[in-house]
Amino acid sequence: MRRFNYAVSLVMVLALAWVFVGCAKPPEAEQKAAQAAMEAAMTAGADKYAAADLDAAKKAMEAADAQVKDKKYKEAKQAYVDAKAAFEKAAGAVEAGKKAVADEATAALAALEESWKGVEAAAKQVEKKMKEQKDAWSADAKTFGESLKAAKDAIAADPINVKAKAAELKGMIEKWETSLKELAAPPAKAPVKADAKKVKS
């Protein structure tokens, strides 16, 4: 009977040890799930369109990794679960972020189109003075038209790059606005010579 009790006690101790060892393992499944959620968020474009949410998720992931290093596996497990949820939130925010950027890009392109009409009108007024700039003007006018059309077509797919393209087009407008103002300005008057009578006296 003593042997039986000893054997039962030994089995219970081993079972408890097994449970304890089982709890003391790094939370690999949760870590992998959080990693997969991070990759999905990146693929969705969270780095471009939901950067704030993505940064928060990355911080949660870093905290979980730090807890694993400190062998705080229970806390790390929950931290990975939280990180996964944060990455999923970032992925979910991509569409709203993309729409906001697309709206900004659309407004920017509309403003640029109006500004370019003003530049074209100014160019017509000084057309006769544009002998040296005529080729450059023709090339830029063609480039602007093509770039504007390409940017409009790309808004739905890649609005963030369209915003960058809009900045380039704005630079082209500003360059021509400055050049055309200089051409439209009246020629500088020659310095007035001193009165001949005053010189004699």
Side-chain angles (χ1 to χ4, degrees):
M1 193 71 178
R2 269 186 177 178
R3 276 186 166 178
F4 179 75
N5 286 342
Y6 177 75
V8 170
S9 297
L10 186 62
V11 168
M12 286 179 70
V13 168
L14 288 172
L16 286 169
W18 180 256
V19 168
F20 180 74
V21 169
C23 290
K25 283 185 179 178
E28 290 177 10
E30 289 78 9
Q31 185 181 28
K32 284 178 183 175
Q35 188 73 34
M38 179 174 76
E39 287 166 11
M42 294 294 283
T43 302
D47 55 327
K48 292 179 181 177
Y49 304 109
D53 287 330
L54 185 68
D55 286 344
K58 282 181 177 178
K59 282 176 185 171
M61 186 80 154
E62 286 165 11
D65 290 339
Q67 287 168 337
V68 167
K69 281 183 184 177
D70 294 340
K71 297 188 177 180
K72 296 178 179 175
Y73 300 134
K74 188 179 176 184
E75 293 89 340
K77 184 176 182 178
Q78 185 56 50
Y80 282 126
V81 169
D82 294 344
K84 179 179 179 278
F87 283 121
E88 287 169 350
K89 181 187 174 191
V94 168
E95 280 309 308
K98 199 171 186 178
K99 187 187 180 308
V101 175
D103 290 346
E104 288 171 21
T106 302
L109 292 181
L112 289 170
E113 196 168 11
E114 281 304 306
S115 295
W116 187 253
K117 285 177 185 174
V119 171
E120 285 178 324
K124 280 184 182 176
Q125 289 178 353
V126 294
E127 201 169 3
K128 290 176 183 176
K129 296 181 182 179
M130 286 179 70
K131 292 172 187 175
E132 291 176 18
Q133 293 101 328
K134 203 165 189 179
D135 289 343
W137 165 253
S138 297
D140 277 359
K142 185 182 176 189
T143 301
F144 186 91
E146 288 170 355
S147 297
L148 187 70
K149 186 185 180 305
K152 283 180 178 179
D153 293 343
I155 284 177
D158 196 3
I160 208 152
N161 280 336
V162 170
K163 276 185 78 178
K165 191 69 186 170
E168 287 176 29
L169 294 175
K170 188 178 180 185
M172 191 183 288
I173 288 172
E174 287 169 353
K175 179 187 89 171
W176 279 107
E177 282 176 341
T178 303
S179 296
L180 294 170
K181 274 179 189 173
E182 287 170 5
L183 286 172
K189 291 180 181 177
V192 180
K193 291 181 181 178
D195 191 358
K197 288 179 183 177
K198 285 183 180 176
V199 172
K200 282 179 183 178
S201 57

